[in-house]
């Protein structure tokens, strides 16, 4: 039996909403005691003085397996989007993705809703679920055909899976790279109105309500979309949504002058929508914070803005940027770790995200006040394409513990 005692920290428990002095005792990879623990003979010890002890981050919807970035950001489990090469659209590819990060990190594959993510022919969702897929996703785009989407939702729900969708009307955004507004007009960039997101959300909410299927919008970014989700939740629709820190801290003004690191999908929105997104986090409309981790190399970003690829390296900055929401008074520390860990784990029925005795010991030690500066050229990620390059921040992961093992 292996025993590890983490001592002298501040334990953050999202389930109880508490932050208390003490430690965590781990036996054979599981949490045995929390709080003022009794030290057993022969236990290894880890001094957490000056640090938070919190559940490891469960990141939903990343686009690449990037172990150094995950370790730096405190991510112990990640749900991998099906947009791989080739797309994750059969059981063998699910099994290959499952094995990719063990034992340091658990990768939970998300099944492609349609063959090759083409949006027309349903993939073998049942076989992928049996192979270990934890959800179904439409990929980087939505399914244009409402009848196909209706079938996906019904089939996934019958298998007990949540369908993860991208929320942009494809006809509205085709060929565009920015949101309509002063910045896009001044830079001469092809743009689409922000309502393209709400149009997509409205249709898919109607389909989800008709089928009774659980649906998750991977990223929502506009006031109109959040209003639709609030209303749907009030009607009892099983809907959740996520957001990245980029859309909480940055507006479309950040894309000037042609900053390709700020070209994202969905694109950055106007200041009013950014403020609406922050309010949605504060009032509980947003159910989880995610990294949107999509590292892009120089060949994809060092291009004219309209020709560059959207995406950002977000894994190692997710926690430090999210801690800013606590300092801003929008949420509490326990609520933050609910959004980062407990909420995602519960929604997708994953282990982790818990500080309760008996839970798997996926934990992180965090120095919430440690100052540092985000530098694109010094990131652990496979590519450092972050729109936060040069930003001074506070809060770093000191130690990652996966299944009771210190990484």
């Amino acid at each position: 039996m292996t025993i590890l005692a983490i001592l002298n920290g501040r334990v953050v428990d999202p389930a109880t909403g508490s932050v208390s002095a003490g430690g965590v005792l781990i036996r054979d990879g599981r949490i045995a005691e929390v709080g003022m623990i009794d030290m057993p003979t022969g236990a290894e010890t880890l001094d957490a003085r000056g640090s938070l002890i919190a559940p490891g981050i469960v990141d939903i919807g990343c686009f690449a397996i990037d172990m150094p970035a995950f370790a730096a950001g405190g991510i112990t489990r990640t749900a991998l989007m099906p947009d791989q090469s080739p797309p994750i659209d059969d059981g063998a590819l699910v099994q290959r993705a499952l094995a990719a990060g063990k034992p340091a990190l658990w990768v939970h594959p998300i099944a492609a809703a349609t063959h090759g993510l083409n949006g027309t022919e349903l993939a073998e969702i049942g076989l992928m679920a049996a192979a270990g897929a934890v959800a179904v996703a439409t990929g980087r785009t939505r399914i244009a055909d409402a009848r196909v989407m209706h079938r996906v939702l019904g089939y996934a729900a019958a298998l007990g899976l949540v369908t993860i969708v991208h929320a942009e009307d494809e006809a509205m955004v085709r060929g565009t790279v920015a949101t309509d507004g002063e910045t896009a007009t001044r830079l001469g960039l092809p743009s689409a109105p922000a309502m393209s997101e709400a149009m997509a959300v409205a249709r898919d909410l109607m389909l989800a309500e008709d089928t009774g299927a659980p649906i998750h919008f991977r990223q929502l970014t506009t006031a109109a979309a959040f209003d639709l989700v609030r209303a749907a939740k009030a009607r009892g629709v099983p809907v959740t949504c996520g957001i990245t820190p980029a859309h909480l801290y940055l507006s479309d003004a950040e894309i000037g002058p042609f900053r390709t690191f700020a070209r994202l999908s969905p694109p950055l929105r106007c200041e009013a929508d950014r403020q609406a997104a922050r309010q949605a986090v504060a009032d509980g409309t947003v159910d989880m914070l995610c990294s949107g981790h999509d590292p892009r190399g120089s060949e994809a970003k060092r291009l004219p803005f309209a020709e560059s690829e959207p995406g950002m390296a977000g894994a190692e900055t997710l926690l430090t940027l999210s801690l800013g929401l606590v300092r801003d008074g929008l949420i509490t520390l326990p609520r933050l770790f609910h959004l980062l860990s407990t909420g995602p784990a519960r929604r997708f029925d994953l282990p982790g995200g818990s500080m309760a005795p008996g839970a798997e010991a996926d934990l992180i030690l965090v120095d919430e006040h440690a100052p540092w500066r985000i530098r694109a050229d010094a990131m652990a990620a496979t590519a450092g394409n972050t729109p936060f390059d040069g930003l001074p921040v506070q809060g770093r992961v000191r130690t990652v513990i996966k299944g009771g093992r210190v990484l």
Side-chain angles (χ1 to χ4, degrees), residues 65 106 116 143 156 171 187 199 243 271 361 397 399:
I65 300 171
W106 278 54
I143 293 174
L187 297 176
M199 290 170 63
I243 194 170
E271 178 63 16
V397 174
T399 307

Side-chain angles (χ1 to χ4, degrees), residues 152-218:
V152 167
L153 285 164
Y155 192 26
L159 294 167
L161 298 177
V162 179
T163 301
I164 301 173
V165 298
H166 180 83
E168 285 183 298
D169 183 279
E170 63 290 332
M172 294 288 284
V173 302
R174 187 178 298 119
T176 67
V177 298
T179 303
D180 278 358
E182 179 184 344
T183 301
T185 300
R186 178 166 46 83
L187 297 176
L189 295 173
S191 59
M195 71 175 178
S196 61
E197 180 174 276
M199 290 170 63
V201 169
R203 187 205 74 171
D204 287 346
L205 281 174
M206 292 177 69
L207 296 176
E209 191 164 10
D210 182 70
T211 58
I215 188 169
H216 175 70
F217 294 99
R218 187 175 60 85

Side-chain angles (χ1 to χ4, degrees), residues 16-274:
T16 62
S18 64
V19 182
S20 56
V24 178
L25 184 68
I26 300 170
R27 295 179 186 268
D28 285 346
R30 292 190 175 273
I31 296 173
E33 295 179 35
V34 178
M36 305 310 292
I37 62 177
D38 295 324
M39 274 289 293
T41 304
E44 295 182 32
T45 61
L46 180 61
D47 190 355
R49 194 178 308 275
S51 297
L52 303 174
I53 307 172
I57 295 172
V58 179
D59 190 22
I60 302 298
C62 70
F63 288 90
I65 300 171
D66 196 345
M67 302 300 290
F70 294 146
I75 296 169
T76 53
R77 293 180 184 270
T78 184
L80 179 68
M81 288 293 285
D83 308 67
Q84 307 299 311
S85 183
I88 302 175
D89 61 359
D90 69 42
L93 293 170
V94 168
Q95 291 177 334
R96 186 173 75 177
L98 269 171
K102 295 178 182 177
L105 170 89
W106 278 54
V107 175
H108 300 279
I110 300 170
T114 56
H115 282 295
L117 292 171
N118 59 19
T120 57
E121 183 183 0
L122 262 65
E124 295 289 352
I125 298 172
L127 293 178
M128 289 188 283
V134 297
V136 175
T138 66
R140 294 181 188 274
T141 59
R142 77 163 187 167
I143 293 174
D145 190 317
R147 186 180 181 206
V148 173
M149 186 62 189
H150 191 268
R151 290 176 61 207
V152 167
L153 285 164
Y155 192 26
L159 294 167
L161 298 177
V162 179
T163 301
I164 301 173
V165 298
H166 180 83
E168 285 183 298
D169 183 279
E170 63 290 332
M172 294 288 284
V173 302
R174 187 178 298 119
T176 67
V177 298
T179 303
D180 278 358
E182 179 184 344
T183 301
T185 300
R186 178 166 46 83
L187 297 176
L189 295 173
S191 59
M195 71 175 178
S196 61
E197 180 174 276
M199 290 170 63
V201 169
R203 187 205 74 171
D204 287 346
L205 281 174
M206 292 177 69
L207 296 176
E209 191 164 10
D210 182 70
T211 58
I215 188 169
H216 175 70
F217 294 99
R218 187 175 60 85
Q219 288 191 58
L220 292 186
T221 59
T222 64
F226 292 125
D227 286 343
L228 288 168
V229 169
R230 285 190 191 97
K233 287 183 174 184
R235 297 194 306 272
V237 179
V239 56
T240 51
C241 64
I243 194 170
T244 68
H247 290 92
L248 296 170
Y249 286 102
L250 307 176
S251 71
D252 58 353
E254 300 299 324
I255 67 177
F258 303 105
R259 294 183 65 240
T260 58
F261 280 6
R263 188 185 169 197
L264 307 177
S265 177
L268 293 173
R269 305 300 189 183
C270 69
E271 178 63 16
D273 279 331
R274 185 182 79 87

